Amino acid sequence: MKRPLIIFSLSLMAGILVSHLIQSYLFIIFSFLIILLILLVLFQIKDKKSFMLFGIALFYLIGGVSFLYNYNNNLNKYLEYDQEHVTIKGYIGSEPDIKESRVTYIINTEEIILRDERIQIKGKVRLSTLNDTELIQYGREVLVSGRLNIPTGRRNPGGFDFRNYLNQSKISATMFATEQNIDVKDGYKGNLAVKYGLALRERVLNVINKSLPPSQAALLNAILLGCKSDLGDEVEGMFRGAGLAHVIVVSGMHVGYILLGLVIFFRKCKVKRSFANIIIIIILWGYALMTGFGPSVIRAVIMASVVLIGQIIKREADVLNSIFFAALIMLLYNPAFLFSVGFQLSFIATISIVLFYKNIKELLDNEILPQYITGIISLTLAAQLGVIPVVAFYFNEISLVSVISNVLVAPVVGIITILGLVMAVLGQIHIFFSQAVGLCNNALLSFVLFVSSRISSLPFATVRVITPSILFIGAYYTCLFYFFWYKPKYKVQLMLKHRVIIGVSVFIVILINLFIPKGLEVVFLDVGQGDSAFIRTESGKTVLIDGGGYLDADDDSNIGDDVVIPFLLDYGVTKLDVVAVTHGHIDHTQGLEPVLESFDVSNFIIPDVPVMDGLEELLRIAKERDINIESCKKGDIIDLDRKTHFKVLHPKRDFYINESALNNNSLVLKLYYEDVSMLFTGDIEIEAERMLIDDEVFMESDVLKVAHHGSGSSTTPEFLERVNPLVAVISVGRNNFGHPSSDVLDLLKGQEVHVLRTDKDGAVIVKSDGEEIRVFNYR
């Protein structure tokens, strides 16, 4: 076979992917043995392809076993110290990552000290601290005290998998510590190459900052070194909106520009090619070191090294083989790279350019546009067509203006990168030389900022999209591969029978989606110490009750943008028929603000009470967007479809409970779906529960959303007896309030109620056909 590296790399990826999904050594070995059995049959007939299949099986096994070994070893390293207050002895293994109010470091641990017991453990811990202390440099020895946290995996559908993200950097745990709990020692440790690489990076940053105005310096630091700490969220958002996010992330494009500049320089200096190539390889790996060894940079540097070495030994490198060789090396070093967004985008974009660029350019070539314009458009389209599904899958956004912005900016960025490198070198001699070159670069950087600002401000520069399904992504890449590579290369046309098969298949899939009954689905989201529940009826009506507020007691995440909206888009929701808020506490309201601002919402429902404390911002947004606002009280009915409706059980007309007023006047909704019912109780406490009991409200339900996160001030024995649930869901996160109460847990256990908690089970999913319920926990 001409390109065995492609097959071996794909086989390695398959092994990693299967082990990630199945998490079983036994399954990996069993599937490997099946492949070996096939090989034995093939060997008997002496087929030469058996050797290739043996390589496929071997790399599949290596991928699966190496991923599981690294993953389990990384996950279990500090498992016994989870939530323990410990002291870590080690040294700083990264540059400080500065983001607004916090600074993050990676600590390479040597010892864990717990209650005077010292345990030697070598690993990595992610340390967060407030941005009000002196920065700690790479290699400094430290003693840090704090609570050790083992990162959780994905907690909600469409949610961010923090554990998988940290695993890509081989980080096993996290810790937050204040200045008084961080003792910086005098000793230095760490890798000398990294130390000098970071020192050189710091010198370059100083040169750039002294040579350009602040905005232009921040942009050049991002383009040349990937340092975005001074860029600001507004400018980053501007580049994303213009479809130029890749410009401010050091990638293969930047490596290519630097490689081009170096090749031209050595050629002009008439340096022998073999010697020049060796110097270029060293410089490129030094550049990768300075920029932090990002996946896209490593990929580009490995590919460049293969090409340059091929020139030295007089062998022409195959581009596709070089791409997959880079993937093979990176995944053998760290199998978790496969799940890095940067890794996926870098390789898919590069492969797309190699496969599709030529054919797209042939389609676009004309006598009106200059060749270099059609070349840039073709390059941008080839890369964009390749990465669109990946970008939509992870970020739920697609840029509609990226072609325009890249045509204007891409050539300029190449010049900026090369001039930036010249500034970095000349600035080591004298800052005057760097400032002189900076006069030219300043104009180009200002042009890029201007273009990004103007284009990102265009209406519909970016559009929000739902998360594409794996089936859709597969179909997309099949069509892309066929129409932009296979068909132009082999000059083939789809036969009539193939068109009929494809048409019938698509029609069947559409019929299945339209006519197979879906039933009712309710998702109690894991929003930490807060409440949020999503409901989708059999007919597709959608409801969101509350939106959570913050993930944990020491977490400042935006729950709406980071959890609720990604979940809705993952579930294919772009329109909400009803958004309801039970009361005005921040752990129920905050996540609803971005939902009301960015989604098509038909009705906004609030409790019919005289006091609107905590709801002012939500009401302002709803009025600005002309969303219908309804105040609901006991006795109201909210119809969703012919099989599904809500009955409002509380608050009571013309009656306001003054004790714990916001909680006790929460909206209480009972959902009916044929023979199944569910009770959503907000944060009502004993006083409201007593009123419902005294008024003899019929509350019996199959599923109970336990009030006030399982607080001891709610869920009395009498109330639980009236509801008589089969399942109880407690929406709760890490907190200092003692939620859920042990008394409430004991009461539920005594009534033989099946209890699920979002802090332990992640999102709780309840499905029903109208007669029975099925309950799943997402974790």
Side-chain angles (χ1 to χ4, degrees):
M1 182 172 284
K2 185 180 177 181
R3 296 186 175 110
L5 283 176
I6 296 178
I7 303 298
F8 293 154
S9 297
L10 293 174
S11 179
L12 186 75
M13 293 177 192
I16 294 169
L17 182 61
V18 170
S19 63
H20 173 73
L21 295 173
I22 306 298
Q23 297 282 316
S24 168
Y25 281 109
L26 184 63
F27 184 87
I28 290 294
I29 293 171
F30 179 72
S31 53
F32 169 71
L33 290 175
I34 290 176
I35 296 173
L36 280 183
L37 184 62
I38 296 172
L39 285 173
L40 288 174
V41 174
L42 293 173
F43 272 129
Q44 287 178 2
I45 59 175
K46 298 181 180 179
D47 190 339
K48 292 181 181 179
K49 292 183 180 178
S50 300
F51 295 102
M52 177 61 67
L53 290 175
F54 181 76
I56 292 171
L58 181 62
F59 276 101
Y60 171 84
L61 179 66
I62 291 171
V65 171
S66 63
F67 175 81
L68 280 179
Y69 174 79
N70 283 285
Y71 182 81
N72 291 328
N73 182 56
N74 198 48
L75 179 64
N76 298 326
K77 193 163 286 185
Y78 305 101
L79 195 58
E80 60 184 295
Y81 307 107
D82 187 26
Q83 302 304 311
E84 294 278 6
H85 195 280
V86 302
T87 299
I88 293 174
K89 179 185 177 185
Y91 63 91
I92 300 297
S94 70
E95 268 204 309
D97 183 14
I98 306 166
K99 288 186 179 176
E100 295 183 359
S101 62
R102 294 202 178 192
V103 181
T104 304
Y105 303 90
I106 295 173
I107 300 179
N108 290 343
T109 65
E110 296 172 329
E111 284 185 345
I112 299 289
I113 303 168
L114 176 64
R115 292 185 284 273
D116 296 327
E117 182 183 1
R118 292 175 174 266
I119 305 97
Q120 289 191 348
I121 300 180
K122 294 195 178 296
K124 291 182 180 180
V125 172
R126 184 177 185 263
L127 170 68
S128 297
T129 186
L130 298 175
N131 188 16
D132 58 1
T133 60
E134 186 177 347
L135 297 177
I136 312 170
Q137 300 306 314
Y138 172 84
R140 289 294 294 269
E141 290 186 328
V142 291
L143 277 175
V144 184
S145 298
R147 183 175 60 191
L148 202 67
N149 302 302
I150 303 301
T152 59
R154 187 175 283 112
R155 297 156 66 159
N156 295 287
F160 180 59
D161 192 337
F162 191 47
R163 180 166 61 200
N164 183 48
Y165 171 74
L166 293 181
N167 187 50
Q168 294 163 21
S169 301
K170 301 186 177 180
I171 298 171
S172 305
T174 64
M175 177 183 282
F176 176 82
T178 54
E179 181 182 11
Q180 57 266 34
N181 291 323
I182 303 174
D183 184 10
V184 182
K185 302 296 184 182
D186 294 330
Y188 284 87
K189 290 187 177 179
N191 187 294
L192 276 178
V194 174
K195 180 179 178 181
Y196 287 120
L198 292 176
L200 180 58
R201 172 191 171 103
E202 194 63 32
R203 288 176 66 94
V204 172
L205 288 172
N206 287 334
V207 166
I208 292 171
N209 289 332
K210 290 177 181 178
S211 304
L212 292 167
S215 297
Q216 286 75 8
L219 179 56
L220 182 56
N221 288 334
I223 291 173
L224 192 62
L225 298 170
C227 180
K228 296 189 286 185
S229 56
D230 296 327
L231 203 58
D233 292 338
E234 184 179 344
V235 177
E236 281 195 57
M238 187 173 75
F239 274 83
R240 283 197 303 271
L244 294 171
H246 59 284
V247 169
I248 56 173
V249 178
V250 177
S251 64
M253 178 182 72
H254 301 78
V255 174
Y257 289 140
I258 291 172
L259 174 62
L260 178 64
L262 291 171
V263 168
I264 293 172
F265 173 76
F266 284 116
R267 189 174 294 167
K268 293 291 184 183
C269 294
K270 300 189 184 304
V271 178
K272 188 179 178 182
R273 175 184 274 191
S274 57
F275 181 71
N277 284 6
I278 293 171
I279 299 300
I280 292 171
I281 290 171
I282 294 171
I283 292 173
L284 290 180
W285 281 104
Y287 179 69
L289 178 65
M290 287 173 58
T291 56
F293 285 115
S296 56
V297 175
I298 297 174
R299 187 267 309 158
V301 172
I302 291 175
M303 286 182 61
S305 299
V306 170
V307 172
L308 293 169
I309 291 170
Q311 290 177 353
I312 293 171
I313 62 175
K314 311 296 183 186
R315 289 191 63 179
E316 186 177 349
D318 179 86
V319 178
L320 281 175
N321 260 337
S322 299
I323 294 171
F324 282 94
F325 174 73
L328 194 69
I329 296 298
M330 292 174 66
L331 293 175
L332 286 173
Y333 169 73
N334 184 0
F337 271 152
L338 182 62
F339 306 104
S340 162
V341 180
F343 178 94
Q344 294 174 18
L345 290 174
S346 175
F347 277 92
I348 291 173
T350 308
I351 292 168
S352 297
I353 290 170
V354 172
L355 293 180
F356 309 137
Y357 168 76
K358 180 182 176 183
N359 295 322
I360 292 174
K361 191 170 186 305
E362 287 179 359
L363 288 172
L364 296 179
D365 275 340
N366 58 76
E367 296 177 358
I368 300 173
L369 292 175
Q371 285 291 308
Y372 79 93
I373 294 292
T374 56
I376 294 170
I377 294 174
S378 302
L379 191 71
T380 303
L381 281 175
Q384 291 294 317
L385 287 171
V387 301
I388 278 175
V390 180
V391 172
F393 186 84
Y394 286 110
F395 305 111
N396 297 110
E397 281 188 349
I398 292 176
S399 172
L400 301 181
V401 295
S402 59
V403 173
I404 300 170
S405 55
N406 276 278
V407 166
L408 294 172
V409 165
V412 180
V413 171
I415 300 170
I416 287 172
T417 304
I418 295 171
L419 288 179
L421 193 62
V422 172
M423 289 173 62
V425 173
L426 294 180
Q428 308 308 315
I429 302 171
H430 197 282
I431 196 64
F432 170 79
F433 301 118
S434 175
Q435 289 172 342
V437 178
L439 292 174
C440 177
N441 223 1
N442 180 40
L444 298 176
L445 289 161
S446 299
F447 172 76
V448 172
L449 287 169
F450 174 79
V451 170
S452 302
S453 174
R454 291 297 183 183
I455 292 182
S456 64
S457 64
L458 293 173
F460 305 107
T462 59
V463 292
R464 176 174 279 170
V465 295
I466 63 173
T467 305
S469 67
I470 299 300
L471 180 65
F472 175 84
I473 292 173
Y476 175 89
Y477 279 121
T478 301
C479 293
L480 185 67
F481 183 79
Y482 174 79
F483 287 108
F484 288 98
W485 183 78
Y486 185 82
K487 183 181 177 182
K489 183 174 182 178
Y490 295 103
K491 311 295 181 186
V492 295
Q493 295 287 342
L494 276 177
M495 295 176 66
L496 179 60
K497 64 177 181 180
H498 295 145
R499 294 179 186 179
V500 171
I501 292 171
I502 293 171
V504 170
S505 300
V506 171
F507 182 68
I508 290 172
V509 170
I510 292 172
L511 284 180
I512 290 172
N513 277 284
L514 287 177
F515 295 108
I516 289 186
K518 296 180 178 63
L520 175 74
E521 183 171 11
V522 179
V523 182
F524 297 90
L525 292 170
D526 179 1
V527 290
Q529 182 63 13
D531 268 18
S532 186
F534 170 78
I535 300 159
R536 178 153 51 198
T537 70
E538 180 181 309
S539 66
K541 298 291 184 180
T542 52
V543 180
L544 183 65
I545 303 175
D546 290 334
Y550 40 79
L551 281 172
D552 291 308
D554 60 357
D555 196 318
D556 57 1
S557 299
N558 185 321
I559 202 73
D561 288 324
D562 297 339
V563 176
V564 180
I565 287 178
F567 162 79
L568 292 173
L569 294 173
D570 189 71
Y571 259 51
V573 177
T574 56
K575 178 182 183 296
L576 287 162
D577 296 286
V578 175
V579 170
V581 60
T582 57
H583 64 292
H585 279 149
I586 193 172
D587 57 334
H588 295 247
T589 63
Q590 191 180 58
L592 292 180
E593 292 177 14
V595 172
L596 291 178
E597 287 174 335
S598 57
F599 276 73
D600 179 10
V601 178
S602 299
N603 298 284
F604 179 48
I605 292 177
I606 61 174
D608 187 359
V609 292
V611 179
M612 293 288 107
D613 287 355
L615 301 181
E616 297 89 350
E617 182 63 15
L618 294 177
L619 289 169
R620 182 192 66 79
I621 297 169
K623 288 174 183 176
E624 279 186 0
R625 301 204 66 218
D626 292 325
I627 298 170
N628 180 49
I629 301 171
E630 295 284 351
S631 299
C632 289
K633 56 191 174 298
K634 180 182 176 182
D636 288 341
I637 302 295
I638 304 169
D639 288 314
L640 298 175
D641 57 32
R642 61 187 182 85
K643 293 184 179 180
T644 318
H645 70 274
F646 282 111
K647 182 177 285 187
V648 182
L649 306 186
H650 191 73
K652 190 174 180 180
R653 181 192 296 271
D654 300 326
F655 198 97
Y656 189 74
I657 302 174
N658 291 304
E659 296 84 358
S660 297
L662 287 183
N663 285 346
N664 270 319
N665 293 284
S666 291
L667 197 63
V668 177
L669 302 170
K670 187 174 180 183
L671 176 67
Y672 289 87
Y673 173 58
E674 296 191 322
D675 297 333
V676 171
S677 60
M678 304 184 194
L679 188 63
F680 298 85
T681 55
D683 275 0
I684 61 170
E685 299 184 7
I686 291 172
E687 293 80 7
E689 291 183 358
R690 171 54 55 192
M691 180 181 292
L692 289 166
I693 293 168
D694 291 346
D695 289 348
E696 297 185 352
V697 175
F698 181 69
M699 295 183 288
E700 186 170 339
S701 304
D702 299 288
V703 178
L704 167 67
K705 198 290 295 183
V706 176
H708 201 191
H709 323 293
S711 164
S713 62
S714 306
T715 318
T716 62
E718 297 84 1
F719 181 79
L720 187 62
E721 185 178 348
R722 289 293 185 95
V723 179
N724 192 27
L726 299 172
V727 175
V729 179
I730 304 176
S731 186
V732 66
R734 197 169 70 229
N735 64 88
N736 300 318
F737 311 116
H739 299 164
S741 163
S742 57
D743 292 338
V744 170
L745 293 174
D746 290 341
L747 179 63
L748 291 166
K749 183 178 180 182
Q751 295 288 337
E752 297 183 347
V753 179
H754 180 45
V755 178
L756 294 108
R757 299 169 46 173
T758 56
D759 61 335
K760 294 185 178 296
D761 300 303
V764 176
I765 302 170
V766 181
K767 295 185 178 184
S768 175
D769 59 2
E771 296 179 0
E772 297 179 343
I773 60 171
R774 292 171 292 148
V775 184
F776 313 88
N777 70 76
Y778 193 71
R779 285 188 189 169

